[in-house]
Amino acid sequence: MRYIINNLSMNATSKPKSITFINFLANLFRIGFFLLAFSLFIWVIYNIFIFFTDSPTIHMDFPVMFSLTEQGLWNNPDTSELSKFYMQSMGMIRAENLPKGFLALYSIITLFANLCILLSMRQVLLILESAKTGAFLIVENAIRLRWIALLGIAIFLLERTGLLISAYFFSDKLQVSGLEFTSVNFFSFFYFETIFYALFLLVIAEAFRIGAELKKEADLTI
Amino acid sequence: MPIIVNLDVMLAKRKMSLTELSEKVGITLSNLSILKSGKAKAIRFSTLEAICQALECQPADILEYQSDT
């Protein structure tokens, strides 16, 4: 009786046949990472310049919430009568001579949110780099996925905080006829599904970690 | 781990090298080294059977239980 025990298929460092798509994704993320890092660097330098000089502050967009002061009318096709409607919206404004305290606070929040995006991209790059070597299903990648999910939650919270601060700051300071600016409206609670995507990624990361540990164990089964 | 692999003892008794055993049982040298060094998490019955046949011994000659306490 001849025994052929082939453990090659379980080799953790076995190279995938084609890494073209992985290479493409890695290049895409690398370009995105460097573009974002470069633009963020320029933005930080410019903000420091603005902060220590009295230059105009129209380089940044600030989110605001507003609604119509008067109710509108719409033509109901079922009844052919005019019915009322109310509108809430979110917009971006650019303003001159903003207080430096508010500008610094909003800039720091934006900076941290962008740094979180950069860190997420870095984690994705590390996952793709490990995939290139064939060692994709490893515990380190599960930890990276977990970090991406946590950074996603952090990005969401930072952006939401920036949005609320900006909307609150401008709510009693902006004057446009026919519009009422508020600190909170429907859009304050919009895009909450991002949190669920991040939580879903956390679940995936945990499943990935269990899978990686099982694979490690299988690799050490002779 | 309280399970000790005495593969090196059996190889010495049979005056056989790890490479020879690898060729006889069809397991890669690296996997046999993992088994010999005690880094392996588990061993298949088929592997054990192949090693026992090649070394003309019993599973108990290769594996030994030593209590931690």
Side-chain angles (χ1 to χ4, degrees), chain A residues 188-207:
Chain A
S188 309
F189 309 100
F190 215 57
Y191 302 121
F192 254 81
E193 65 269 21
T194 314
I195 286 279
F196 293 104
Y197 292 145
L199 291 174
F200 181 65
L201 191 57
L202 271 181
V203 175
I204 298 283
E206 192 56 21

Tab-separated table of all heavy atoms in Angstrom, chain A residues 188-207:
chain	number	residue	atom	x	y	z
A	188	SER	N	-29.829	65.152	9.589
A	188	SER	CA	-28.912	64.846	10.694
A	188	SER	C	-28.856	63.343	10.937
A	188	SER	O	-27.872	62.822	11.464
A	188	SER	CB	-29.361	65.529	11.980
A	188	SER	OG	-29.581	66.882	11.751
A	189	PHE	N	-29.926	62.648	10.589
A	189	PHE	CA	-30.022	61.206	10.853
A	189	PHE	C	-29.933	60.388	9.564
A	189	PHE	O	-30.283	59.224	9.529
A	189	PHE	CB	-31.322	60.902	11.605
A	189	PHE	CG	-31.506	61.777	12.799
A	189	PHE	CD1	-32.343	62.884	12.742
A	189	PHE	CD2	-30.802	61.524	13.967
A	189	PHE	CE1	-32.483	63.718	13.839
A	189	PHE	CE2	-30.947	62.353	15.066
A	189	PHE	CZ	-31.784	63.459	14.999
A	190	PHE	N	-29.480	61.054	8.508
A	190	PHE	CA	-29.380	60.395	7.207
A	190	PHE	C	-28.061	59.624	7.127
A	190	PHE	O	-27.108	59.935	7.820
A	190	PHE	CB	-29.450	61.466	6.117
A	190	PHE	CG	-30.165	61.015	4.874
A	190	PHE	CD1	-31.464	60.541	4.947
A	190	PHE	CD2	-29.543	61.053	3.645
A	190	PHE	CE1	-32.133	60.123	3.811
A	190	PHE	CE2	-30.199	60.637	2.496
A	190	PHE	CZ	-31.492	60.175	2.586
A	191	TYR	N	-27.992	58.654	6.278
A	191	TYR	CA	-26.786	57.833	6.052
A	191	TYR	C	-26.362	57.054	7.299
A	191	TYR	O	-25.186	56.771	7.484
A	191	TYR	CB	-25.611	58.684	5.543
A	191	TYR	CG	-25.901	59.416	4.278
A	191	TYR	CD1	-25.826	60.805	4.212
A	191	TYR	CD2	-26.282	58.733	3.126
A	191	TYR	CE1	-26.114	61.496	3.047
A	191	TYR	CE2	-26.569	59.404	1.957
A	191	TYR	CZ	-26.488	60.795	1.922
A	191	TYR	OH	-26.775	61.452	0.765
A	192	PHE	N	-27.313	56.726	8.171
A	192	PHE	CA	-26.982	55.949	9.360
A	192	PHE	C	-26.634	54.504	9.013
A	192	PHE	O	-26.088	53.781	9.834
A	192	PHE	CB	-28.139	55.992	10.372
A	192	PHE	CG	-27.837	56.863	11.545
A	192	PHE	CD1	-27.996	58.230	11.455
A	192	PHE	CD2	-27.363	56.337	12.733
A	192	PHE	CE1	-27.696	59.061	12.521
A	192	PHE	CE2	-27.058	57.155	13.811
A	192	PHE	CZ	-27.223	58.525	13.705
A	193	GLU	N	-26.971	54.093	7.790
A	193	GLU	CA	-26.668	52.718	7.382
A	193	GLU	C	-25.154	52.468	7.351
A	193	GLU	O	-24.717	51.326	7.408
A	193	GLU	CB	-27.308	52.373	6.031
A	193	GLU	CG	-26.805	53.155	4.842
A	193	GLU	CD	-27.604	54.408	4.571
A	193	GLU	OE1	-28.279	54.896	5.491
A	193	GLU	OE2	-27.553	54.894	3.430
A	194	THR	N	-24.373	53.564	7.276
A	194	THR	CA	-22.904	53.426	7.290
A	194	THR	C	-22.457	52.671	8.536
A	194	THR	O	-21.550	51.832	8.485
A	194	THR	CB	-22.249	54.824	7.269
A	194	THR	OG1	-22.890	55.599	6.280
A	194	THR	CG2	-20.767	54.736	6.972
A	195	ILE	N	-23.105	52.984	9.667
A	195	ILE	CA	-22.789	52.316	10.937
A	195	ILE	C	-23.041	50.806	10.801
A	195	ILE	O	-22.234	49.995	11.243
A	195	ILE	CB	-23.673	52.895	12.075
A	195	ILE	CG1	-23.173	54.290	12.457
A	195	ILE	CG2	-23.732	51.972	13.288
A	195	ILE	CD1	-21.976	54.318	13.387
A	196	PHE	N	-24.149	50.459	10.131
A	196	PHE	CA	-24.492	49.037	9.976
A	196	PHE	C	-23.501	48.331	9.050
A	196	PHE	O	-23.164	47.172	9.273
A	196	PHE	CB	-25.931	48.877	9.489
A	196	PHE	CG	-26.921	49.313	10.523
A	196	PHE	CD1	-27.574	50.523	10.413
A	196	PHE	CD2	-27.164	48.539	11.651
A	196	PHE	CE1	-28.455	50.954	11.389
A	196	PHE	CE2	-28.038	48.956	12.635
A	196	PHE	CZ	-28.689	50.162	12.500
A	197	TYR	N	-23.035	49.060	8.018
A	197	TYR	CA	-22.020	48.474	7.133
A	197	TYR	C	-20.751	48.176	7.937
A	197	TYR	O	-20.125	47.136	7.772
A	197	TYR	CB	-21.686	49.420	5.970
A	197	TYR	CG	-22.795	49.605	4.978
A	197	TYR	CD1	-23.003	50.823	4.341
A	197	TYR	CD2	-23.660	48.554	4.658
A	197	TYR	CE1	-24.028	51.009	3.430
A	197	TYR	CE2	-24.682	48.729	3.748
A	197	TYR	CZ	-24.871	49.956	3.140
A	197	TYR	OH	-25.887	50.133	2.243
A	198	ALA	N	-20.382	49.146	8.813
A	198	ALA	CA	-19.174	48.977	9.634
A	198	ALA	C	-19.357	47.802	10.605
A	198	ALA	O	-18.439	46.996	10.778
A	198	ALA	CB	-18.887	50.258	10.391
A	199	LEU	N	-20.545	47.696	11.200
A	199	LEU	CA	-20.810	46.585	12.124
A	199	LEU	C	-20.796	45.252	11.375
A	199	LEU	O	-20.302	44.246	11.883
A	199	LEU	CB	-22.154	46.786	12.835
A	199	LEU	CG	-22.193	47.946	13.841
A	199	LEU	CD1	-23.610	48.149	14.362
A	199	LEU	CD2	-21.248	47.694	15.004
A	200	PHE	N	-21.334	45.269	10.151
A	200	PHE	CA	-21.325	44.077	9.302
A	200	PHE	C	-19.881	43.661	8.998
A	200	PHE	O	-19.539	42.478	9.034
A	200	PHE	CB	-22.097	44.377	8.012
A	200	PHE	CG	-22.176	43.224	7.064
A	200	PHE	CD1	-22.857	42.064	7.410
A	200	PHE	CD2	-21.576	43.285	5.816
A	200	PHE	CE1	-22.927	40.994	6.535
A	200	PHE	CE2	-21.635	42.222	4.934
A	200	PHE	CZ	-22.313	41.081	5.304
A	201	LEU	N	-19.033	44.659	8.756
A	201	LEU	CA	-17.616	44.387	8.491
A	201	LEU	C	-16.932	43.806	9.728
A	201	LEU	O	-16.043	42.952	9.613
A	201	LEU	CB	-16.911	45.677	8.047
A	201	LEU	CG	-15.497	45.523	7.478
A	201	LEU	CD1	-15.480	44.581	6.283
A	201	LEU	CD2	-14.920	46.861	7.080
A	202	LEU	N	-17.371	44.253	10.903
A	202	LEU	CA	-16.835	43.703	12.157
A	202	LEU	C	-17.164	42.208	12.262
A	202	LEU	O	-16.327	41.412	12.680
A	202	LEU	CB	-17.430	44.435	13.365
A	202	LEU	CG	-16.696	45.671	13.871
A	202	LEU	CD1	-17.409	46.249	15.072
A	202	LEU	CD2	-15.252	45.349	14.247
A	203	VAL	N	-18.392	41.860	11.866
A	203	VAL	CA	-18.815	40.448	11.878
A	203	VAL	C	-17.964	39.649	10.883
A	203	VAL	O	-17.477	38.560	11.196
A	203	VAL	CB	-20.329	40.325	11.537
A	203	VAL	CG1	-20.748	38.872	11.418
A	203	VAL	CG2	-21.169	41.023	12.594
A	204	ILE	N	-17.778	40.227	9.691
A	204	ILE	CA	-16.957	39.578	8.652
A	204	ILE	C	-15.527	39.366	9.174
A	204	ILE	O	-14.927	38.306	8.981
A	204	ILE	CB	-16.921	40.440	7.361
A	204	ILE	CG1	-18.327	40.604	6.779
A	204	ILE	CG2	-15.954	39.871	6.319
A	204	ILE	CD1	-18.867	39.434	6.032
A	205	ALA	N	-15.008	40.405	9.857
A	205	ALA	CA	-13.643	40.325	10.398
A	205	ALA	C	-13.526	39.201	11.422
A	205	ALA	O	-12.526	38.468	11.441
A	205	ALA	CB	-13.263	41.657	11.032
A	206	GLU	N	-14.554	39.053	12.244
A	206	GLU	CA	-14.539	37.997	13.260
A	206	GLU	C	-14.606	36.622	12.593
A	206	GLU	O	-13.879	35.703	12.990
A	206	GLU	CB	-15.725	38.207	14.228
A	206	GLU	CG	-15.691	37.373	15.480
A	206	GLU	CD	-14.416	37.525	16.308
A	206	GLU	OE1	-13.705	38.534	16.179
A	206	GLU	OE2	-14.120	36.595	17.081
A	207	ALA	N	-15.472	36.500	11.574
A	207	ALA	CA	-15.578	35.238	10.828
A	207	ALA	C	-14.238	34.931	10.139
A	207	ALA	O	-13.780	33.783	10.098
A	207	ALA	CB	-16.687	35.331	9.790
